[in-house]
Amino acid sequence: MAPKHTLPGLPDRGRCLVMGVVNVTPDSFSDGGAWFDPERAIEHGLGLVGEGADIIDVGGESTRPGAQRVTSTEELRRVEPVVRELASRGVAVSVDTMRAEVAACAVEAGAVLVNDVSGGLADPEMARLVASSGVAYVLMHWRGHSHDMQSRAVYTDVVQEVLDELRDRMEAMIDAGVDPGQIVLDPGLGFSKRPDKAHNWALLQHLDRFRELGRPVLVAGSRKRFLSRLLGDAEGQDRPFVGCDAATAAVTTLAADRGAWAVRVHDVRPNADAVRVAAAWSDGGAHLDEGRAEPMGRGGL
């Protein structure tokens, strides 16, 4: 198991946390705009909490391969009301954004975590915002925007290169004023990682290597193409994304057992079950009563 890390504003369950995804977008790969309406997004977020999510990650810009960027105004219009309402209901909310302006508004609305898939590279003001706000910050391995990121997936040693690039970005953020205790690292499964080259599987196999950096690790493999490719049929057709939820739960169990701080998932309940199984497995059931007493979601929602 990885060393224990406590992050500002975020729950400490004594196990791997579950981050539920709410995409307030019309074009995300996993749900095709099912939660684009703010009221439906809020309802969905509350439902995920009821299924066992510890954190709700709200995003207003698709980062699927090939996606084009939206304006900051549109991104804010999508996420701000959802973040504000969920936070007002006692939910630990993360905002999934590469823009400091959006992150600042979301933090003002109650977000306690900024999940930046660019690791601070897309917006030079992000480090200043994170440092001044004091919120927790997910720094992901990133080599470029969605429209061309797969062309950048060229590695000699994917594990070592991702590790080195994450270390460089973390040091840059710290030099810019971010407290190391705010930082969560994400190896960036699916981002500039080719499913046909097994880049993602190599990173998962060597997840324990990321402990070298001394920070908690987020694993975000839910419904991604490396799973759909693995589960494809004999004719070479990848399995549809929504058919990969059982495989996602398997990855969650293994990642939790390897010491992941949190997993980011679309289908919460089986993954909430998976982290509890991993916790009981790792300690031989020493804390079963604590796990049983833990509520699925939060009272008062």
Side-chain angles (χ1 to χ4, degrees):
M1 295 295 288
K4 183 177 178 179
H5 295 278
T6 301
L7 289 141
L10 289 165
D12 179 5
R13 306 285 192 226
R15 56 155 174 80
C16 178
L17 298 177
V18 177
M19 177 186 286
V21 179
V22 175
N23 291 314
V24 195
T25 58
D27 56 347
S28 291
F29 80 92
S30 65
D31 49 38
W35 319 115
F36 188 43
D37 175 76
E39 291 303 317
R40 294 195 67 193
I42 292 164
E43 180 182 4
H44 183 53
L46 294 174
L48 295 182
V49 171
E51 293 178 359
D54 303 294
I55 306 165
I56 297 298
D57 191 41
V58 179
E61 180 177 35
S62 175
T63 52
R64 62 179 172 77
Q68 299 299 312
R69 301 211 68 187
V70 299
T71 66
S72 58
T73 300
E74 174 61 15
E75 187 182 357
L76 264 174
R77 185 193 69 78
R78 295 175 181 182
V79 303
E80 195 276 342
V82 180
V83 170
R84 187 174 298 278
E85 180 61 21
L86 290 175
S88 75
R89 305 282 287 271
V91 177
V93 180
S94 165
V95 60
D96 181 355
T97 185
M98 293 181 276
R99 290 185 169 107
E101 177 187 0
V102 175
C105 290
V107 169
E108 188 279 329
V112 293
L113 174 66
V114 175
N115 182 12
D116 179 4
V117 299
S118 81
L121 287 168
D123 188 338
E125 294 301 312
M126 185 64 85
R128 186 177 307 169
L129 177 277
V130 173
S132 63
S133 67
V135 297
Y137 176 70
V138 175
L139 187 162
M140 196 192 81
H141 176 262
W142 189 78
R143 285 186 168 182
H145 286 289
S146 296
H147 68 275
D148 69 346
M149 66 180 177
Q150 295 307 80
S151 68
R152 302 169 188 261
V154 180
Y155 303 92
T156 301
D157 181 339
V158 64
V159 176
Q160 189 62 54
E161 289 173 53
V162 170
L163 190 68
D164 290 343
E165 289 169 32
L166 273 177
R167 180 184 289 108
D168 290 345
R169 286 308 307 151
M170 182 170 69
E171 290 175 354
M173 295 296 282
I174 292 169
D175 288 344
V178 176
D179 188 306
Q182 294 174 252
I183 297 174
V184 174
L185 299 175
D186 179 348
L189 300 177
F191 288 80
S192 299
K193 318 290 188 307
R194 289 179 56 179
D196 58 323
K197 298 294 184 181
H199 292 150
N200 302 283
W201 293 113
L203 292 167
L204 287 169
Q205 182 185 30
H206 296 284
L207 196 62
D208 55 339
R209 290 279 311 279
F210 292 89
R211 297 184 199 175
E212 296 174 20
L213 301 181
R215 297 306 306 149
V217 175
L218 172 68
V219 173
S222 180
R223 295 182 178 176
K224 287 188 175 174
R225 193 179 171 204
F226 74 97
L227 294 176
S228 61
R229 180 182 177 88
L230 175 73
L231 302 174
D233 62 27
E235 284 70 47
Q237 294 296 312
D238 292 351
R239 182 176 292 184
F241 297 124
V242 294
C244 297
D245 286 333
T248 297
V251 169
T252 288
T253 307
L254 295 168
D257 185 61
R258 292 284 184 92
W261 166 77
V263 289
R264 181 181 182 274
V265 300
H266 299 85
D267 189 14
V268 163
R269 188 173 295 279
N271 290 281
D273 291 348
V275 298
R276 287 163 173 80
V277 168
W281 184 291
S282 68
D283 66 15
H287 299 92
L288 290 181
D289 288 343
E290 294 176 21
R292 186 178 177 86
E294 181 181 309
M296 295 295 284
R298 292 169 175 80
L301 293 181

